[in-house]
Amino acid sequence: MFRSIVTSLLAGSAIVSSAAWAQDRQQSVSASDMAAAQERAESIVAQMEPEEKVRLTMGIMPLPIVPGGEIPEAAIPAAGFVPGVERLGIPDLTETDGPLGVAYVMGLRGDYATAMPAGIAMGATFNRDLAYAQGTAIGAEARAKGFNVLLAGGANLARDPRNGRTFEYISEDPLLTGQLIGWNIAGVQSNEIVSTIKHFALNGQETGRKFVDVLIDDAAARESDLLAFQIGIEIGQPGSVMCAYNRVNSEQGCASEYLLNQVLKEDWGYRGWVMSDWGAVPGLYAAWNGLDQQSGSQLDPDTFFDEDLLLAAQADPAHMARLDDMNARVLTGLIAAGVLDNPVTPGGEIDWEAHARVAQQAAEQSIVLLRNENDALPLARDAGSILVVGGYADSGVLSGGGSSQVHGEGGPAILRPLSNTGAFSVFISEQYQRGAPLNSIRARKPEGTVRFRPGRYASDAAALAAQTDVVIVFATQWMTEGLDVSDLGLPDGQDQMIAEIAAANPNTIVVLETGGPVDMPWLDDVAAVVEAWYPGQGGAEAIAGVLFGEVNPSGRLPITFPRDASQLPRENIPGMLEYDPDFGGNPPSPDSKLYTDYNVEGSDLGYRWNARQNQEALFPFGYGLSYTSFASSGLTTDGSTATFTLTNNGERAGATVGQVYLVSRNDENLQRLVGFERVELEPGESQTVTVDIDPRLLAEWNETGWTIFDGDYGFALGEDAERLGPVVKVAVQGRSWED
Ligand code: BGC
């Protein structure tokens, strides 16, 4: 079942036709595979002795730095280990992070992995095939290293761009997130290992992450964050769902009857297992509310899901039935993915070259050209002298911190420790993947000077800038799990430095390596801005390829760039001033009074919030420039599909993303992305595209199900969420249905 898309990527040029990839993209596990697996799982559970039933329910974090408990020999140093039951052919569960490559866990294994771009960069590609290819490659590496569970599938919506994990997630939109993460998971599971989807749900900030209480109405949740998960699960059929640290309407996420039992298992009919996040289990009662497995149990106040669980089950048949269900669910996920029939053995071969190619294409397609005055880009090879400033561009490209951190070949180019407190302090270090943009720029400009300044002193960079033809400033914003950013300014005086350089030389190009949106007080004074996110190991070549025009930028913003924080639903991240960062320490605290009220924006995140507030973004969702120009036209729709034509009317080959928005219902203005397609077009070429419209995007959640109201629905093609074409109205018949 090793359906590898990677070989088709290898054959391609810098721009590969997505049509060619589409043939390879297929669901690895279907809903009926899950149903069949459940039957087999139940027959295995029927053969289990009571003591065996509390093996699959509890895992550890097999790392020497984590205090407490013996680490079994069979465990590989990584995020998680759950002992199997050999007698019944159930292998140990070997679990590794994470969404952006096989995580390096502080270098403890001494290995390395392909470093893919950040999740938000995947979102910027709007490319399902590439999301699948990335999942396929990461899953293959996990398998080769002996892991059968990949803690991937970060599907939280970006409710606040200051969330420290914004870089790990895909977007602010449920359709885009759900589809990309679903196909990414399918790619991982095509290796016959399990992928998770995480963190279920509404895990929107790191401040007080283990106790912040998120307030949100059922309808608003179902139409936004939960919808992203629902779509992701339908497509990807992940073997496991990882629940979240935070509380939701006063229930702890990993003990939430509402989220786990009601929404996930009852309404959506999910058959796999719910594993906890690491240190997110408040007590044994979580099992009765839908949690199936306690992970990294040393990080919890107690090991609830072994003896305690067994004693409770032996005392009460209802609890025993639940324990059977917990085991059946773990086995269902494993069987459906293929883990029992094709067990993982460490020491597999890895096709590094092919994976590097996927990483590079992912970086290339994720880069968003935000500004390009007077065609400052692409640079000519004889562009005169170039000054490169800042961002450790002489060494590498920035990556995000925390459990998703990947260690590329040779380790990080730069590791800048920012804290020396506690066992997890190594997570709190700014790390740069190898591959120096400066070298990639120099390689494209054999003649003429390319000089470099680290950018620690604005005065010297500005003085040199005045004597140079072109300045390329690399600006960075480091984000990490465990710590939100205080504001959207570039840290360490970089805004001031860019302003001084731009004043000295207006031919200044800013390359951003950020985990999400940042303020740009200097925007009007610079010639061009390129958003490269955390681009992974292919970043340097991808950035230089865009700067010199070998790669025509095609990324689109998966998240709104606000003009300033006053445009956001909340002025600050709640608790920012009250709580210290959580680098793995704080236990769940039921007594906390930290609330974040998501009912303010409800299901209207990002561009939908802006539409509701009638405010214009600095750069809207869906926005991105190209070195060619495109037109979208001819929208026709019956409300369940939409057809339109995309044309490249410029002089270069390139890719564009057709976007269809719902903009009105009767007299009410709405804004929802209902379909998208990324298309590669030669100069002068047109392509007609049809997208399906998920009925849930036309509907409202109405207590027990979805309702589409009778009426006239207006749709428009968008260059982005703000530049919309003519509205096409269609009469839609009302109906209601349950999930
Ligand atoms: C993170 C998860 C991760 C887990 C295991 C937690 O702190 O929230 O995303 O999978 O650790 O490393």
Side-chain angles (χ1 to χ4, degrees):
M1 214 229 264
F2 287 86
R3 285 188 284 264
S4 177
I5 193 169
V6 168
T7 37
S8 68
L9 286 178
L10 257 178
S13 60
I15 295 177
V16 173
S17 150
S18 50
W21 300 1
Q23 293 165 5
D24 291 311
R25 171 164 60 86
Q26 42 191 304
Q27 248 187 325
S28 317
V29 179
S30 65
S32 56
D33 291 338
M34 289 291 267
Q38 186 185 347
E39 246 181 70
R40 193 171 142 199
E42 283 166 358
S43 72
I44 298 176
V45 175
Q47 302 166 50
M48 283 179 151
E49 300 296 334
E51 288 71 23
E52 288 170 339
K53 292 184 183 171
V54 288
R55 287 175 72 95
L56 293 179
T57 53
M58 208 196 71
I60 58 160
M61 192 169 201
L63 295 178
I65 55 160
V66 181
E70 289 274 294
I71 298 181
E73 232 170 77
I76 310 172
F81 177 82
V82 181
V85 184
E86 213 184 335
R87 179 180 81 81
L88 296 171
I90 305 169
D92 300 334
L93 271 59
T94 46
E95 304 174 333
T96 177
D97 281 300
L100 317 178
V102 176
Y104 88 124
V105 280
M106 305 163 199
L108 287 169
R109 284 193 307 270
D111 65 351
Y112 65 92
T114 301
M116 295 290 173
I120 192 100
M122 190 202 287
T125 70
F126 279 69
N127 188 337
R128 302 169 190 87
D129 300 314
L130 192 47
Y132 182 86
Q134 285 177 258
T136 305
I138 296 171
E141 289 183 24
R143 184 177 183 94
K145 289 169 184 289
F147 295 106
N148 52 24
V149 179
L150 190 72
L151 309 175
N156 295 98
L157 292 190
R159 279 188 176 261
D160 195 311
R162 295 161 298 196
N163 173 15
R165 295 185 93 168
T166 302
F167 75 94
E168 259 187 80
Y169 303 135
I170 308 297
S171 83
E172 65 190 22
D173 182 75
L175 178 69
L176 180 61
T177 296
Q179 291 208 344
L180 293 194
I181 215 66
W183 285 113
N184 187 243
I185 289 166
V188 171
Q189 295 200 149
S190 69
N191 294 286
E192 293 182 291
I193 64 168
V194 164
S195 174
T196 57
I197 191 168
K198 67 187 187 182
H199 310 85
F200 190 66
L202 295 146
N203 194 179
Q205 69 179 63
E206 291 298 284
T207 302
R209 66 175 178 168
K210 289 192 184 159
F211 48 80
V212 59
D213 192 358
V214 165
L215 307 178
I216 188 163
D217 292 346
D218 182 34
R222 303 244 191 189
E223 293 165 10
S224 58
D225 297 64
L226 297 183
L227 183 55
F229 275 92
Q230 194 178 10
I231 295 171
I233 290 171
E234 286 163 359
I235 296 170
Q237 298 289 333
S240 182
V241 171
M242 187 192 294
C243 51
Y245 282 129
N246 51 287
R247 294 193 287 161
V248 175
N249 298 327
S250 302
E251 285 184 319
Q252 203 69 45
C254 282
S256 167
E257 164 73 20
Y258 162 67
L259 284 177
L260 308 185
N261 276 343
Q262 196 181 318
V263 174
L264 179 69
K265 292 181 177 177
E266 271 167 47
D267 295 346
W268 299 352
Y270 180 67
R271 298 173 199 263
W273 87 95
V274 178
M275 70 165 73
S276 74
D277 201 341
W278 273 234
V281 186
L284 178 59
Y285 77 95
W288 322 138
N289 289 359
L291 179 65
D292 300 304
Q293 188 181 59
Q294 180 177 11
S295 314
S297 52
Q298 307 102 304
L299 305 183
D300 284 320
D302 211 338
T303 53
F304 307 110
F305 279 34
D306 56 359
E307 280 108 358
D308 289 3
L309 180 57
L310 183 58
L311 286 175
Q314 282 169 331
D316 181 341
H319 290 336
M320 185 58 92
R322 172 71 188 114
L323 180 56
D324 286 353
D325 175 51
M326 291 160 83
N327 278 281
R329 285 175 170 280
V330 177
L331 288 168
T332 298
L334 294 173
I335 291 167
V339 173
L340 257 59
D341 292 333
N342 184 9
V344 164
T345 44
E349 290 278 300
I350 293 176
D351 191 344
W352 295 108
E353 230 181 276
H355 295 182
R357 181 124 190 91
V358 176
Q360 186 167 329
Q361 291 202 339
E364 288 172 355
Q365 293 192 17
S366 74
I367 291 176
V368 185
L369 180 61
L370 293 173
R371 177 179 169 89
N372 194 15
E373 287 302 285
N374 305 320
D375 294 334
L377 292 176
L379 294 171
R381 276 168 199 261
D382 58 2
S385 55
I386 295 183
L387 172 65
V388 176
V389 181
Y392 295 98
D394 60 332
S395 304
V397 290
L398 187 57
S399 56
S403 57
S404 67
Q405 181 83 57
V406 175
H407 194 135
E409 186 174 5
I414 298 271
L415 190 151
R416 194 176 156 214
L418 300 172
S419 163
N420 195 20
T421 310
F424 287 89
S425 64
V426 68
F427 276 148
I428 312 308
S429 60
E430 238 179 83
Q431 300 194 23
Y432 289 74
Q433 302 289 359
R434 276 166 201 265
L438 179 63
N439 294 345
S440 298
I441 290 169
R442 284 199 168 128
R444 283 163 177 81
K445 212 175 169 312
E447 280 155 36
T449 29
V450 179
R451 300 186 65 184
F452 177 71
R453 279 294 181 275
R456 293 180 56 216
Y457 296 94
S459 57
D460 111 304
L464 255 188
Q467 305 164 15
T468 314
D469 294 313
V470 181
V471 190
I472 307 172
V473 184
F474 283 78
T476 58
Q477 174 219 39
W478 181 69
M479 285 189 145
T480 182
E481 178 181 338
L483 179 61
D484 297 318
V485 296
S486 311
D487 59 54
L488 296 180
L490 290 169
D492 301 333
Q494 294 177 91
D495 283 324
Q496 179 62 25
M497 182 189 68
I498 296 170
E500 285 184 36
I501 289 173
N505 187 339
N507 204 8
T508 292
I509 292 149
V510 178
V511 177
L512 295 168
E513 290 172 17
T514 69
V518 285
D519 295 336
M520 297 179 215
W522 32 260
L523 182 63
D524 292 343
D525 303 323
V526 302
V529 182
V530 171
E531 174 58 84
W533 316 107
Y534 303 150
Q537 68 178 45
E541 278 295 289
I543 291 168
V546 164
L547 293 176
F548 285 90
E550 286 153 34
V551 175
N552 192 349
S554 61
R556 299 302 184 98
L557 291 183
I559 184 168
T560 302
F561 277 44
R563 286 191 181 275
D564 56 51
S566 73
Q567 290 194 329
L568 300 172
R570 277 161 290 282
E571 205 186 329
N572 287 305
I573 291 223
M576 224 25 211
L577 298 179
E578 288 82 17
Y579 295 96
D580 290 338
D582 172 21
F583 299 143
N586 302 344
S589 157
D591 304 327
S592 136
K593 299 279 181 288
L594 178 59
Y595 298 99
T596 296
D597 188 2
Y598 287 158
N599 287 316
V600 174
E601 72 275 27
S603 57
D604 289 326
L605 280 68
Y607 68 92
R608 287 168 56 161
W609 171 252
N610 275 5
R612 189 166 119 184
Q613 299 293 103
N614 212 2
Q615 58 191 17
E616 277 184 8
L618 182 64
F619 295 109
F621 175 87
Y623 174 88
L625 303 174
S626 165
Y627 298 148
T628 186
S629 56
F630 298 100
S632 51
S633 60
L635 175 66
T636 56
T637 176
D638 59 1
S640 56
T641 63
T643 299
F644 52 94
T645 300
L646 298 165
T647 305
N648 180 349
N649 47 30
E651 320 246 286
R652 283 171 185 254
T656 187
V657 178
Q659 302 165 42
V660 186
Y661 293 90
L662 170 66
V663 295
S664 64
R665 178 177 53 203
N666 298 322
D667 296 331
E668 183 195 0
N669 288 334
L670 293 175
Q671 193 163 22
R672 297 178 187 177
L673 179 73
V674 297
F676 65 89
E677 192 66 50
R678 181 183 188 279
V679 172
E680 314 258 355
L681 294 169
E682 293 297 321
E685 190 186 352
S686 288
Q687 200 172 312
T688 297
V689 174
T690 298
V691 294
D692 289 332
I693 298 177
D694 189 316
R696 288 169 291 199
L697 295 168
L698 305 191
E700 308 292 310
W701 181 265
N702 213 352
E703 289 192 18
T704 55
W706 299 97
T707 297
I708 292 183
F709 298 109
D710 260 336
D712 279 340
Y713 285 65
F715 296 88
L717 290 170
E719 300 298 310
D720 54 55
E722 288 182 7
R723 284 181 303 159
L724 299 168
V727 177
V728 174
K729 290 215 167 153
V730 58
V732 173
Q733 233 188 338
R735 64 192 165 102
S736 293
W737 70 99
E738 289 192 357
D739 258 333

